[in-house]
Amino acid sequence: MRRPTIMDIAKAAGVSKGAVSYALNGRPGVSQETRERILAIAHDLGWAPSSTARALSPGGRVGAIGLIVDRPARSLGVEPFFMQLISGIETELAVSGTDLLLQVTDDREAEVGAYRRWFAERRVDGVVMVDLRVDDPRVALVEELPLPAVVLGGPKGAGTLPCLFTDDASSIREVVHYLAALGHRRVVRVAGPEEFMHTHDRTRAFEAAAAEAGLAGAATVHADYTGEAGTRTTRRLLASAERPTALVYDNDVMAVAGLGVAREMGVDVPGQLSIVAWDDSTLCRLVHPSLTAVARDVVACGREAARMLAEAVEGRAVGSRETARGELQPRGSTGPLAG
């Protein structure tokens, strides 16, 4: 069907295009009775304002925000974190009728190019940035354009951009001391990519907490959040001479994969190996034994990030905000070592 136009509304209402424009834009020039009649006809015809026209008008907005995820596309389908984050963002955007433009890229240059294109083509009013990196080039780029943005992460490394961050250090410390209290001394953390700022911050917190708890055998190894990487890394660790007695994974997908490897290699969980996942999800509760995990309200984070970006798009000053810290949820995958 052809998209209805202002001329269609004018013909149906028996008024001029100018009168329709006044009514639709809330400007004076028509009576209240005529305005209501025009608005009713526009609704019946299914008319909606053109996002392109709105963007070209002074101070106009397109009614969409952007989110770029620079991760392997195959990993997003099994990554509960991003599904929950997007759910939270979409829930908040639905209130204002704003759309979410989601793009998955396969390298850093493609992501940077997408930001430039979105800004040049007026595709979005602002962006939510995820996976803040050490010396992240995106920060300077969106500051220069300028493109309203909210960083999920930080505050270190976010420049002048408002960010929504979590105190991961306190949660890491709780996990390490919990495992130490259970008698574990060889604790290994299977972390995400080193380039991510949150990985860097968690590593420093893990090292500090391990030293505080007297865990000389604590160490961090890096993977990429996928189940395949979690499987390979866990198999290598459990086959080593100094096998760890506890593994802390930076996401739930790797933790579930690690549990499968332990079963494959005949390593009892939790009798011989305790497992902790970062970011609780349904995955953690469906496996046996259920996984001890650090739980965060990711949906609430998505909603808050969308609210902050809406404020930034409106031109309001937005300060950085801290979310509630993650809470350790002990379950069947952790326990004292069997005698």
Side-chain angles (χ1 to χ4, degrees), residues 58-315:
R61 300 173 190 153
V62 298
I65 68 167
L67 171 65
I68 300 176
V69 181
D70 187 22
R71 299 275 188 94
R74 69 182 187 281
S75 69
L76 293 187
V78 294
E79 179 67 79
F81 172 83
F82 280 107
M83 295 302 100
Q84 292 173 24
L85 178 68
I86 292 170
S87 174
I89 293 173
E90 288 276 26
T91 299
E92 191 62 32
L93 295 182
V95 177
S96 60
T98 304
D99 296 325
L100 175 65
L101 178 58
L102 173 66
Q103 182 167 333
V104 178
T105 58
D106 55 5
D107 64 69
R108 191 178 307 181
E109 291 304 316
E111 182 180 7
V112 169
Y115 285 121
R116 292 187 182 279
R117 185 176 68 256
W118 283 358
F119 178 77
E121 297 175 357
R122 301 292 296 274
R123 298 285 300 279
V124 298
D125 297 317
V127 294
V128 174
M129 293 171 52
V130 296
D131 289 337
L132 184 66
R133 303 180 180 95
V134 178
D135 299 322
D136 200 318
R138 299 174 300 170
V139 173
L141 172 65
V142 298
E143 287 175 332
E144 176 190 351
L145 287 175
L147 181 64
V150 169
V151 176
L152 197 63
K156 181 181 177 182
T160 62
L161 302 178
C163 59
L164 183 64
F165 65 95
T166 307
D167 177 17
D168 285 346
S170 60
S171 298
I172 285 283
R173 185 177 184 276
E174 182 180 9
V175 169
V176 170
H177 282 266
Y178 168 68
L179 293 173
L182 290 174
H184 296 280
R185 290 296 175 264
R186 294 194 301 276
V187 179
V188 175
R189 173 171 158 262
V190 182
E194 287 186 87
E195 64 177 344
F196 292 156
M197 185 66 77
H198 62 262
T199 301
H200 187 263
D201 291 343
R202 289 179 193 175
T203 298
R204 289 194 304 174
F206 179 78
E207 291 172 349
E212 186 178 79
L215 305 185
T220 293
V221 296
H222 294 276
D224 65 0
Y225 294 127
T226 65
E228 293 84 355
T231 295
R232 290 192 304 270
T233 304
T234 305
R235 188 175 289 125
R236 185 175 68 252
L237 289 169
L238 296 186
S240 63
E242 292 293 320
R243 191 172 74 191
T245 64
L247 292 173
V248 180
Y249 294 86
D250 258 15
N251 78 342
D252 44 5
V253 174
M254 292 195 297
V256 170
L259 178 63
V261 171
R263 183 178 294 113
E264 164 198 319
M265 298 180 68
V267 178
D268 181 65
V269 177
Q272 296 173 295
L273 176 70
S274 282
I275 293 178
V276 178
W278 197 273
D279 283 335
D280 193 12
S281 72
T282 302
L283 288 179
C284 296
R285 296 184 289 276
L286 288 178
V287 295
H288 180 76
S290 56
L291 293 177
T292 294
V294 176
R296 297 186 297 165
D297 192 342
V298 181
V299 173
C301 288
R303 296 197 66 168
E304 183 63 19
R307 282 192 290 265
M308 291 172 65
L309 184 56
E311 295 172 17
V313 169
E314 292 171 1

Side-chain angles (χ1 to χ4, degrees), residues 29-71:
V30 292
S31 67
Q32 184 61 29
E33 180 184 353
T34 300
R35 185 187 309 279
E36 291 175 358
R37 185 162 58 88
I38 290 172
L39 291 175
I41 291 172
H43 178 270
D44 291 341
L45 291 177
W47 178 88
S50 164
S51 60
T52 302
R54 286 187 297 176
L56 293 175
S57 64
R61 300 173 190 153
V62 298
I65 68 167
L67 171 65
I68 300 176
V69 181
D70 187 22
R71 299 275 188 94

